[in-house]
């Protein structure tokens, strides 16, 4: 064997190599919540048989046993949990055969088998390979549920949170090792999901779709043509009115051939038709009461906003619908001056933009206020202020780096700020890691040193930068 073949064999990827470890309880917990929402949505299809409550309780217990144990054992070695996996896996096979095979059709029986097995395997969810396999099963079952004949828009109460939790789990695993706090990761992931949702809403309302994109709970593309309307007789299209109305509007959803699509209120007519179709789901007496109440509030609020935008006359107090009070409250909120709303949005952006500078001042004030009675907490507040100050200067703390290494590694600051920073780190490390008791005099001295260093690094004392 020559040298080149040895090198190629050495660098070749071994298919049997173990998958990278997961080592994240948050990822397992988020995956479990996504799994539970999909399983409950699967049971929601059987609501007309009166078994939705019992099936939901079963899935809650199954997910709690599997993913609950998987969350607790996420950082333990692989042999841990094998016994539970064997017992729960055997039970899942038994439940799949009886009564699962007798209760469901072939497609739904496959879905329930996947749910049972993946819920049992959750206790040994240790590697990225198992994590991606679990998410694949979750999304496959969710699409099966969404395209079922008993599905409608009310499934969003379960499938929506399922996809959000799945996206959070994916983002959490992808951002593993990144030097960001958990709250920043959570906020950035939620912002990305919200942006994706807004893009989907824009596509849903303004872009024409073929009829095949129904997905069970979305109206087909012929019902929602978007901004591209079918030509009418006045526009040079077909002059046959019967043909226009007969082929355009389906189910009263404001179709392409309806009267609502001929005037300036075409989009409002489509909204009216869509809300009318959504209200039909309220007649389903098998929907849980909490969901029905929430649906009424959502539809009432949406109708109030639509009436306010289109300028429709509100009903009299004696003729108000059940959601009239909520509509009135939403309508009164909608009449708020837009300048005030823009000012609030600008203020929120500025707070977010300068959050670290505001946090530095808040931490310094907290350190000053607690120096006399709680010196240890005061020194921690001062250390937090210094950490944020170094962050604003582009000096981030790397994983595994100690406080002394982080603070001493800032080589671009002024000499006076470096001396004050050195004094602060010595006092803090002696209290935090040296076992010395914190005294009010030390807390006040550290607060003054940190405040002075922050003022110099922030440019508030340019004469001291020499």
């Amino acid at each position: 064997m020559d040298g080149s073949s040895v090198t190629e064999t050495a660098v070749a990827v071994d298919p049997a190599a173990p998958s990278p470890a997961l080592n994240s309880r948050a990822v397992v917990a988020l995956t479990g919540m996504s799994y539970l929402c999909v399983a409950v949505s699967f049971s929601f299809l059987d609501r007309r048989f009166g078994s939705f409550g019992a099936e939901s309780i079963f899935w809650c217990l199954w997910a709690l046993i599997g993913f609950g144990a998987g969350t607790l054992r996420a950082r333990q070695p692989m042999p841990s949990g094998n016994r539970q996996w064997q017992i729960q896996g055997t039970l899942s096979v038994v439940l799949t055969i009886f009564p699962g095979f007798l209760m469901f059709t072939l497609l739904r029986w496959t879905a329930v088998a996947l749910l049972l097995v993946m819920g049992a395997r959750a206790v040994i969810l240790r590697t990225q390979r198992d994590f991606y396999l679990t998410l694949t099963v979750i999304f496959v079952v969710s699409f099966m549920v969404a395209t079922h004949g008993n599905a409608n828009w009310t499934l969003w109460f379960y499938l929506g949170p399922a996809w959000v939790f799945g996206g959070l789990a994916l983002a959490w695993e992808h951002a593993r090792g990144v030097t960001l706090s958990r709250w920043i990761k959570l906020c950035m992931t939620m912002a990305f999901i919200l942006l994706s949702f807004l893009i989907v809403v824009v596509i849903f309302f303004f872009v024409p779709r073929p009829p095949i994109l129904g997905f069970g709970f979305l109206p087909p593309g012929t019902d929602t043509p978007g901004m591209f309307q079918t030509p009418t007789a006045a526009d040079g299209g077909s002059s046959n009115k019967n043909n226009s109305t007969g082929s355009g509007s389906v189910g009263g959803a404001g179709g392409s051939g309806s009267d609502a699509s001929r005037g300036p209120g075409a989009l409002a007519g489509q909204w009216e038709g869509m809300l009318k179709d959504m209200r039909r789901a309220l007649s389903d007496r098998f929907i849980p009461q909490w969901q029905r109440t929430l649906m009424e509030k959502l539809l009432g609020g949406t109708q109030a906003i639509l009436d306010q935008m289109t300028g429709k006359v509100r009903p009299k107090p004696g003729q108000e619908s059940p959601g009239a009070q909520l509509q009135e409250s939403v309508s009164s909120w909608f009449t708020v001056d837009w300048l005030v709303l823009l000012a609030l949005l600008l203020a929120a952006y500025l707070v977010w933009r300068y959050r670290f500078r505001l946090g530095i001042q808040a931490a310094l004030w907290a350190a000053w206020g607690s120096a006399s009675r709680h010196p240890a907490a005061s020194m921690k507040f001062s250390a937090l202020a210094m950490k944020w100050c170094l962050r604003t200067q582009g000096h981030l703390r790397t994983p595994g780096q100690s406080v002394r290494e982080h603070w001493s590694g800032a080589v671009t600051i002024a000499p006076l700020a470096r001396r004050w920073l050195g004094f602060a780190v010595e006092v803090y490390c002696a209290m935090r890691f040296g076992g010395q008791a914190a005294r009010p005099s030390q807390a006040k001295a550290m607060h003054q040193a940190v405040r002075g260093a922050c003022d110099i690094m922030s440019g508030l004392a340019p004469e001291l930068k020499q």
Side-chain angles (χ1 to χ4, degrees):
M1 183 181 293
D2 55 353
S4 61
S5 60
V6 174
T7 305
E8 292 176 359
T9 305
V11 263
V13 178
D14 186 7
S19 178
L22 202 60
N23 293 331
S24 177
R25 293 180 176 177
V27 173
V28 179
L30 291 172
T31 307
M33 288 186 283
S34 178
Y35 167 88
L36 178 59
C37 292
V38 170
V40 173
S41 68
F42 180 87
S43 301
F44 187 74
L45 300 178
D46 300 329
R47 61 191 182 277
R48 296 178 182 177
F49 300 102
S51 60
F52 175 57
E55 292 183 21
S56 299
I57 294 176
F58 168 77
W59 289 120
C60 289
L61 295 176
W62 193 261
L64 181 61
I65 295 173
F67 285 93
T71 303
L72 296 177
R73 301 174 183 269
R75 299 177 182 176
Q76 297 180 6
M78 187 56 199
S80 176
N82 282 342
R83 184 68 175 175
Q84 179 179 344
W85 152 238
Q86 293 173 1
I87 298 176
Q88 198 171 357
T90 304
L91 183 59
S92 66
V93 174
V94 174
L95 292 176
T96 302
I97 298 176
F98 180 83
F101 192 77
L102 302 177
M103 291 177 59
F104 305 104
T105 60
L106 180 60
L107 182 60
R108 295 198 66 199
W109 177 79
T110 304
V112 76
L114 290 173
L115 288 175
L116 288 171
V117 173
M118 297 315 298
R121 278 188 58 86
V123 68
I124 56 172
L125 187 59
R126 301 283 201 283
T127 62
Q128 293 182 358
R129 183 184 295 121
D130 293 335
F131 168 64
Y132 294 139
L133 176 61
T134 305
L135 281 186
T136 302
V137 170
I138 288 174
F139 284 109
V140 166
V141 176
S142 68
F143 278 111
M144 189 283 300
V145 172
T147 54
H148 194 269
N150 293 336
N152 52 28
W153 74 276
T154 58
L155 271 174
W156 275 110
F157 287 88
Y158 309 99
L159 288 182
W163 293 346
V164 170
F165 286 131
L168 286 175
L170 272 175
W172 210 275
E173 171 60 22
H174 179 72
R176 183 179 57 174
V178 181
T179 56
L180 292 175
S181 65
R182 295 181 178 180
W183 289 108
I184 294 180
K185 291 180 184 179
L186 181 63
C187 293
M188 293 180 66
T189 306
M190 292 300 297
F192 174 75
I193 293 176
L194 179 60
L195 179 61
S196 303
F197 175 74
L198 293 178
I199 294 176
V200 170
V201 169
V202 171
I203 294 176
F204 172 66
F205 285 114
F206 297 101
V207 177
R209 303 182 310 278
I212 197 172
L213 293 181
F215 282 116
F217 53 87
L218 292 180
T222 52
D223 287 352
T224 54
M227 298 179 64
F228 305 93
Q229 308 295 337
T230 303
T232 59
D235 299 330
S238 176
S239 58
N240 190 348
K241 293 184 180 180
N242 296 329
N243 186 26
S244 172
T245 57
S247 61
S249 178
V250 180
S256 59
S258 61
D259 294 337
S261 63
R262 302 182 183 182
L267 187 59
Q270 295 175 15
W271 274 75
E272 289 283 358
M274 185 185 68
L275 292 178
K276 184 185 299 182
D277 288 341
M278 293 173 71
R279 286 193 184 92
R280 294 175 183 172
L282 295 176
S283 59
D284 189 352
R285 60 187 180 88
F286 300 102
I287 295 179
Q289 185 59 39
W290 66 268
Q291 185 176 351
R292 187 190 309 276
T293 303
L294 185 57
M295 288 164 54
E296 292 177 352
K297 292 181 179 180
L298 290 176
L299 292 177
T302 306
Q303 186 66 52
I305 295 177
L306 182 61
D307 292 344
Q308 186 68 27
M309 295 178 65
T310 56
K312 289 188 175 181
V313 180
R314 309 289 301 168
K316 296 182 179 180
Q319 303 175 353
E320 291 180 343
S321 59
Q325 295 182 355
L326 180 67
Q327 294 182 17
E328 291 295 337
S329 61
V330 174
S331 177
S332 62
W333 176 87
F334 197 77
T335 57
V336 174
D337 192 353
W338 285 104
L339 294 178
V340 177
L341 181 59
L342 291 177
L344 293 176
L345 292 177
L346 179 61
Y349 168 76
L350 293 177
V351 169
W352 172 257
R353 177 68 176 82
Y354 299 102
R355 62 190 183 280
F356 288 112
R357 296 186 180 182
L358 296 175
I360 291 171
Q361 299 301 322
L364 288 175
W365 277 106
W368 173 80
S370 59
S372 300
R373 296 187 176 183
H374 305 282
S378 174
M379 297 172 75
K380 291 181 181 180
F381 281 126
S382 298
L384 183 61
M386 180 52 62
K387 175 184 175 181
W388 287 342
C389 185
L390 291 175
R391 184 184 182 90
T392 58
Q393 303 299 315
H395 184 64
L396 303 179
R397 184 177 180 180
T398 58
Q401 193 177 30
S402 63
V403 177
R404 185 185 299 276
E405 292 173 345
H406 179 215
W407 291 16
S408 302
V411 297
T412 58
I413 62 177
L416 181 58
R418 176 177 292 277
R419 290 198 298 270
W420 287 346
L421 190 58
F423 170 77
V425 72
E426 292 297 335
V427 174
Y428 178 73
C429 290
M431 183 276 303
R432 183 69 174 82
F433 308 104
Q436 296 184 7
R439 297 193 300 270
S441 58
Q442 292 179 341
K444 294 178 181 179
M446 181 181 176
H447 167 260
Q448 293 177 358
V450 171
R451 177 174 286 278
C454 291
D455 290 344
I456 294 176
M457 285 188 287
S458 301
L460 300 179
E463 67 278 2
L464 300 178
K465 280 190 175 184
Q466 303 299 329

